[in-house]
Amino acid sequence: MADKYYTKNGEWVARSGPRWKVGLSVSAVGDLGDVTFVALPQVGRAVAAGEAVCALEAVKAAADYYCPVDGRVSAVNSVLVTEPGLLNTSPEDDGWLFELEAVPGDSLDALLDEAAWKAWEAGR
Amino acid sequence: MALDEALAETVRAGGPPFLRFYFWEPAALSLGRFQNLQTGLSAEAALVPRVRRPTGGGGIWHADELTYSLGCRQDDLNTTGVKASFEILCGFLVDTWRCLGWDAGFAKDAPQAGELGGFSPACFAGQEEYDILVGGKKLGGNAQRRERTTIFQHGSLPRALDHSVLERLFLPGFRPDPASTTDLSSCGWRGTSPELIPVLAEAFRSRLDVELTEVLPTAEEHRRAEALRQERFADPEWTQNGPGRLRQV
């Protein structure tokens, strides 16, 4: 099993110890532009793959983002509430959105691993 | 605004894309989907008719203007990109202004554009890559709401901006600068706002290579709009706080 997977919408999910962090790809955030507001999910919320779980506002667009896998929210990156621009400067590291526990392995099957993601991005 | 949302729901449910034109009576201040009302707005801004848009962006005072809304599926545009979709969906505006003989283009292509990016509590005060400039000045504003498969876009086309009103609604430092904003009248449009609708519709049809059929919202869409109006858009708490100000969804 790989450690990081992507959706074609630009969400990623990456192993972080026993849990999984979720965020947005460099290209997804770059395309959205300067992020000015982030709405995060409630800690403890059970989420299903494909469920709208975050809302972002950039200068010209408000966009919903979706959970890439099934799971339960165990933590959120509350720094983004006061520093939404962190998503622009570090989308795949410090700008993670939330953390999931108990991600079933088979819910990763529909996602792209890093190599497949890079190939898919290159072909766009 | 409620009817816009009802039409967007139709698209979400698999219905056809739409392009709608409308006017405001009475004049009103619209606020971006997650706009924080603690920043940049005056005390007087809380006393005028207000509504919160489903779309992003800053506040707009809608008085003497033509407004459009459009909804489509991302598949209709053959792109999932935000910037690419703005270029496609705002292209008909650039075409229209150029047809009228105006020096129009996207801010990203304009050498005289100011600093691009950065949120402004007043939509017309900021400049973004896909804002449209005429003679180097921003004309109107456009903003989107994006879901997984659909795009909803609003656009404001002011016929005559009244900067004295904008000065009362927005605090110093956040007001649109008359030197960098313009309106249809200043650009040379001598007709009424309704007379502009067929010109814009033809440019839209031509740019996107689509057939436009003039229809009215269905009775069901009107019923849904009324329900949305009561639940959301006419609710002062919704207008004040928006859907995401609790920071958690």
Side-chain angles (χ1 to χ4, degrees):
Chain A
M1 185 187 291
D3 283 337
K4 192 169 188 179
Y5 296 85
Y6 292 82
T7 71
K8 290 181 179 176
N9 199 40
E11 296 101 349
W12 55 260
V13 54
R15 189 190 299 275
S16 175
R19 298 184 174 170
W20 293 78
K21 283 184 175 171
V22 176
L24 295 176
S25 69
V26 170
S27 55
V29 176
D31 190 41
L32 192 59
D34 293 341
V35 177
T36 59
F37 174 79
V38 181
L40 297 166
Q42 292 275 9
V43 172
R45 176 178 160 188
V47 290
E51 187 178 342
V53 72
C54 281
L56 266 60
E57 178 148 336
V59 177
K60 303 290 282 184
D64 291 345
Y65 287 90
Y66 301 84
C67 199
V69 291
D70 299 338
R72 184 175 295 279
V73 178
S74 54
V76 296
N77 187 358
S78 55
V79 177
L80 294 174
V81 173
T82 51
E83 297 178 44
L86 189 58
L87 255 172
N88 293 101
T89 56
S90 184
E92 302 210 27
D93 193 2
D94 293 340
W96 59 278
L97 295 169
F98 58 92
E99 190 178 66
L100 292 172
E101 61 185 14
V103 172
D106 59 358
S107 74
L108 299 165
D109 293 347
L111 306 181
L112 305 171
D113 62 23
E114 284 193 271
W117 163 252
K118 284 175 183 168
W120 185 78
E121 279 221 300
R124 281 208 282 179
Chain B
M1 209 54 63
L3 186 54
D4 276 346
E5 184 68 21
L7 295 172
E9 286 185 357
T10 298
V11 175
R12 245 173 257 150
F18 70 91
L19 171 65
R20 176 187 179 218
F21 294 101
Y22 56 95
F23 309 96
W24 295 70
E25 181 57 44
L29 177 65
S30 80
L31 305 157
R33 181 171 180 79
F34 295 112
Q35 183 170 358
N36 183 347
L37 306 194
Q38 308 303 313
T39 304
L41 293 163
S42 71
E44 187 171 341
L47 305 175
V48 299
R50 299 188 304 172
V51 67
R52 195 174 277 274
R53 300 189 306 270
T55 47
I60 295 179
W61 177 244
H62 304 273
D64 186 358
E65 75 158 42
L66 174 63
T67 305
Y68 78 84
S69 62
L70 63 85
C72 65
R73 301 182 68 76
Q74 294 189 31
D75 292 348
D76 294 331
L77 305 181
N78 289 320
T79 180
T80 56
V82 179
K83 291 176 180 174
S85 70
F86 266 111
E87 182 145 22
I88 294 168
L89 293 174
C90 293
F92 80 101
L93 298 169
V94 175
D95 292 347
T96 301
W97 311 147
R98 286 179 179 169
C99 273
L100 293 171
W102 303 349
D103 173 23
F106 289 114
K108 69 183 179 69
D109 301 321
Q112 69 272 49
E115 187 181 342
L116 302 180
F119 176 77
S120 171
C123 171
F124 296 158
Q127 282 193 6
E128 246 280 325
E129 287 175 279
Y130 288 94
D131 279 331
I132 294 169
L133 306 187
V134 174
K137 297 181 177 183
K138 178 170 173 172
L139 175 58
N142 309 279
Q144 291 182 355
R145 169 142 193 239
R146 304 178 64 86
E147 296 174 294
R148 183 180 287 286
T149 58
T150 60
I151 299 171
F152 176 78
Q153 181 166 308
H154 267 140
S156 163
L157 307 171
R159 196 185 69 84
L161 281 174
D162 186 341
H163 282 276
S164 68
V165 175
L166 300 181
E167 285 172 11
R168 297 207 310 270
L169 298 177
F170 297 100
L171 296 175
F174 298 101
R175 296 165 177 160
D177 180 355
S180 58
T181 53
T182 190
D183 54 41
L184 296 168
S185 179
S186 302
C187 290
W189 178 253
R190 295 290 169 256
T192 63
S193 292
E195 286 170 338
L196 192 55
I197 293 173
V199 183
L200 289 165
E202 173 55 23
F204 187 88
R205 186 201 63 73
S206 175
R207 165 61 78 123
L208 283 102
D209 194 21
V210 292
E211 186 179 334
L212 294 177
T213 305
E214 197 169 327
V215 295
L216 294 172
T218 65
E220 178 53 33
E221 285 165 338
H222 277 296
R223 272 193 294 274
R224 180 62 185 146
E226 177 54 25
L228 287 164
R229 189 187 72 79
Q230 291 182 28
E231 290 167 14
R232 199 177 299 173
F233 296 102
D235 177 356
E237 193 176 323
W238 163 270
T239 302
Q240 183 66 30
N241 298 323
R245 289 249 70 88
L246 292 176
R247 310 284 182 181
Q248 295 199 312
V249 292

